[in-house]
């Protein structure tokens, strides 16, 4: 059933825009009037681009919103549904129609309705998906293209689903590991900033009028407190400006390379970052090779999921050496960025002809390592941060109580 974009007005005078399924434009208008919408424009999906080329003005609100892209969870779910429908024997266009009917979000419904109409127009699925860069990654497009070429699109989509779910789980795991310590750090710094800026100055003001020497912890506390009380606005501006400058620097190629190199050299954090990147590379490369994508093409796409310029350059160097007849393992080993276990297992896979299986095992091994290290880091970070906060609070308490004890001794 065709899908139509519409614009119009509601009974209350407000504007309305969206999409609707109908046999034809006339039926679409009747449906809209029953829903209390008076349409001013009803255009079938797939014809909006032609109207734009002809010079007809179509507002952005009337077009599918490309800012509302599919989330990783939505994409995995839709891909699994798509694969199930194709295995059940439904033709491609009909399967896409079912996805349109099942979609709950308007943006998702509009996206797959547009894909369906373009395929009806004679395009291949991979060619259509390639035009939606924000929704479908190069990995997704290449695997669909390989599925179309091999005639096993349904099986490739199932592999894609497993890959997407695994990547989402890994991302969720790393995010959760970082989120809790960061939250504790922000809360701790905020509490200390409040104490040093507003609470401590009122307490230490009493000691400033005393005609006696103050203990050195009290003097240090008063100096720090006075600085924050007088320059807290400057401190906030400096922190915000520093963060903004850091973000801008990282957005440049040189800044990104320097930041990625630093991350890899950090104790523990560097190990986790390296393991996550290797797991992503191995898992992606294994899935693409098993789906029939050529090695050089698969390496070119897979390196982009590593999210680290240093490791990406190492993979690209290996890719160039492979063009000249080398194996994969040797150039990766020479780069010095990949552990011996990885290069050894890849070399075994090349000799035995089981590259996909070896890469899958590498991904599984490093997934387990990431789990183990993250669990250890999380268990260590909490007591360390609590201890650090306790030491700081203890220092503040001692610095405040020492002069009071000395005053008590003098009175006594």
């Amino acid at each position: 059933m065709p899908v139509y974009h519409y614009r119009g007005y509601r009974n209350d005078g407000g504007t309305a825009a969206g999409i609707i399924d109908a046999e034809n434009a006339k039926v679409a208008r009747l449906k809209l009037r029953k829903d209390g919408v008076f349409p001013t424009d009803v255009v079938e999906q797939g014809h909006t681009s032609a109207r734009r080329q002809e010079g007809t003005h179509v507002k952005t609100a009337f077009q599918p919103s490309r800012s509302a892209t599919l989330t990783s969870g939505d994409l995995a779910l839709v891909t699994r549904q798509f694969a199930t429908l194709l295995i059940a024997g439904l033709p491609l266009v009909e399967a896409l129609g079912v996805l349109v009917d099942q979609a709950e979000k308007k943006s998702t419904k509009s996206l797959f309705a547009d894909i369906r109409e373009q395929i009806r127009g004679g395009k291949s699925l991979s060619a259509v998906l390639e035009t939606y860069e924000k929704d479908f990654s190069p990995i997704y497009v290449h695997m669909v293209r390989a599925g179309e070429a091999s005639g096993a699109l349904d099986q490739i989509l199932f592999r894609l689903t497993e890959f997407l779910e695994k990547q989402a789980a890994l991302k969720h795991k790393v995010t959760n590991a970082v989120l809790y310590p960061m939250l504790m750090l922000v809360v701790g710094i905020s509490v200390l900033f409040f104490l040093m800026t507003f609470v401590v100055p009122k307490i230490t003001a009493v000691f400033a009028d005393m005609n006696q020497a103050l203990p050195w912890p009290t003097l240090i506390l008063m100096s720090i407190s006075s600085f924050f009380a007088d320059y807290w606005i400057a401190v906030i501006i400096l922190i915000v400006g520093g963060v903004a400058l850091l973000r801008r620097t990282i957005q440049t190629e040189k800044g990104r390379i320097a930041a990625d190199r630093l991350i890899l050299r950090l104790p523990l954090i560097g190990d986790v970052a390296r393991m996550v990147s290797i797991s992503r590379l191995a898992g992606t490369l294994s899935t693409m090779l098993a789906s029939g994508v050529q090695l050089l093409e698969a390496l070119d796409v897979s390196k982009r999921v590593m999210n680290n310029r240093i490791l990406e350059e190492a993979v690209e160097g290996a890719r160039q050496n492979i063009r000249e007849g080398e194996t994969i393992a040797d150039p990766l080993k020479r780069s010095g960025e990949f552990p011996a276990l990885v290069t050894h297992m890849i070399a075994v896979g090349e000799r035995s002809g089981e590259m996909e299986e070896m890469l899958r095992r590498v991904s599984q091994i490093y997934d387990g390592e990431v789990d183990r290290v993250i669990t250890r880091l999380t268990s260590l970070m909490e007591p360390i941060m609590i201890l650090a906060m306790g030491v700081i609070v203890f220092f503040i308490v001692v610095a405040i109580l020492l002069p009071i004890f000395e005053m008590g001794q003098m009175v006594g």
Side-chain angles (χ1 to χ4, degrees):
M1 184 180 296
V3 176
Y4 294 86
H5 292 288
Y6 68 85
R7 284 186 294 123
Y9 297 93
R10 296 190 297 269
N11 291 329
D12 57 6
T15 58
I19 59 175
I20 188 171
D21 290 334
E23 288 80 2
N24 52 54
K26 183 177 179 181
V27 175
R29 291 178 181 274
L30 290 173
K31 284 187 175 181
L32 290 169
R33 289 195 183 98
K34 289 180 180 178
D35 293 336
V37 176
F38 296 90
T40 59
D41 203 353
V42 176
V43 180
E44 186 177 352
Q45 178 99 17
H47 292 290
T48 53
S49 57
R51 291 187 55 181
R52 286 195 292 270
Q53 292 174 359
E54 293 169 4
T56 305
H57 179 68
V58 182
K59 293 184 179 180
T60 305
F62 179 56
Q63 301 165 7
S65 172
R66 300 312 319 133
S67 59
T69 56
L70 289 169
T71 65
S72 56
D74 290 340
L75 184 58
L77 177 61
V78 169
T79 304
R80 183 174 291 279
Q81 292 173 342
F82 196 14
T84 303
L85 292 170
L86 292 178
I87 287 179
L90 270 68
L92 181 60
V93 173
E94 189 175 342
L96 286 168
V98 175
L99 293 181
V100 173
D101 294 336
Q102 290 181 344
E104 296 180 0
K105 297 180 181 178
K106 288 185 177 180
S107 58
T108 305
K109 185 183 288 287
S110 176
L111 171 66
F112 283 98
D114 196 31
I115 291 172
R116 181 184 62 177
E117 294 306 313
Q118 291 188 57
I119 290 175
R120 278 178 173 172
K123 290 186 178 180
S124 67
L125 178 60
S126 58
V128 176
L129 298 183
E130 198 169 14
T131 62
Y132 296 93
E133 296 178 357
K134 293 183 179 180
D135 297 291
F136 303 98
S137 66
I139 297 168
Y140 199 105
V141 174
H142 278 76
M143 289 183 65
V144 168
R145 185 175 291 124
E148 290 175 323
S150 64
L153 181 59
D154 49 0
Q155 300 299 326
I156 298 296
L157 288 173
F158 265 122
R159 281 201 189 116
L160 259 174
T161 302
E162 293 174 356
F163 169 75
L164 292 170
E165 290 173 346
K166 180 181 175 183
Q167 292 296 311
L170 181 61
K171 182 179 179 181
H172 181 71
K173 199 181 302 175
V174 174
T175 301
N176 284 348
V178 173
L179 189 61
Y180 181 66
M182 287 298 296
L183 182 60
M184 287 187 64
L185 184 64
V186 170
V187 171
I189 291 176
S190 301
V191 170
L192 288 175
F193 187 80
F194 175 76
L195 288 174
M196 299 300 291
T197 306
F198 300 103
V199 178
V200 173
K202 294 181 180 179
I203 298 174
T204 56
V206 178
F207 305 142
D209 298 330
M210 294 174 58
N211 295 321
Q212 67 178 61
L214 296 172
W216 65 265
T218 307
L219 292 174
I220 293 175
L221 181 65
M222 290 175 66
S223 298
I224 297 174
S225 177
S226 176
F227 173 80
F228 278 105
D230 294 337
Y231 302 104
W232 65 273
I233 296 178
V235 170
I236 291 177
I237 293 173
L238 186 64
I239 293 172
V240 173
V243 171
L245 179 62
L246 180 63
R247 289 186 62 183
R248 179 168 292 185
T249 302
I250 292 175
Q251 286 174 354
T252 64
E253 188 63 23
K254 289 184 178 180
R256 177 66 185 275
I257 290 174
D260 287 345
R261 183 178 287 111
L262 176 62
I263 288 172
L264 291 177
R265 291 177 179 175
L266 291 174
L268 291 179
I269 295 175
D271 292 338
V272 173
R274 191 183 301 274
M275 286 188 290
V276 169
S277 295
I278 291 174
S279 176
R280 286 175 173 173
L281 173 69
T284 305
L285 192 56
S286 172
T287 303
M288 294 191 74
L289 292 176
S291 301
V293 181
Q294 296 298 315
L295 176 60
L296 291 176
E297 190 177 3
L299 278 171
D300 185 42
V301 176
S302 299
K303 70 179 183 181
R304 304 177 198 176
V305 305
M306 301 183 77
N307 201 28
N308 187 288
R309 289 288 189 273
I310 304 301
L311 298 178
E312 286 178 24
E313 288 178 0
V315 174
E316 178 58 27
R319 183 169 170 269
Q320 296 304 324
N321 289 327
I322 291 169
R323 286 180 181 275
E324 299 171 5
E326 282 198 64
T327 61
I328 305 175
D330 290 341
L332 289 180
K333 184 177 181 179
R334 288 197 302 270
S335 72
E337 299 294 343
F338 290 83
L341 174 65
V342 176
T343 55
H344 179 70
M345 290 187 69
I346 290 176
V348 171
E350 287 178 312
R351 289 196 298 268
S352 64
E354 297 181 353
M355 176 67 73
E356 298 91 343
E357 178 61 22
M358 283 299 174
L359 287 169
R360 187 182 66 82
R361 291 182 185 178
V362 168
S363 180
Q364 288 179 337
I365 290 170
Y366 278 92
D367 276 349
E369 283 294 303
V370 169
D371 259 340
R372 183 181 62 81
V373 175
I374 284 179
T375 302
R376 186 177 66 180
L377 277 176
T378 305
S379 62
L380 285 174
M381 284 295 293
E382 184 174 356
I384 288 173
M385 295 184 73
I386 292 174
L387 180 62
M389 287 292 296
V391 170
I392 295 172
V393 171
F394 177 76
F395 174 79
I396 294 174
V397 171
V398 168
I400 292 173
L401 291 180
L402 277 177
I404 297 175
F405 290 152
E406 290 185 357
M407 289 173 63
Q409 291 175 357
M410 290 175 62
V411 172

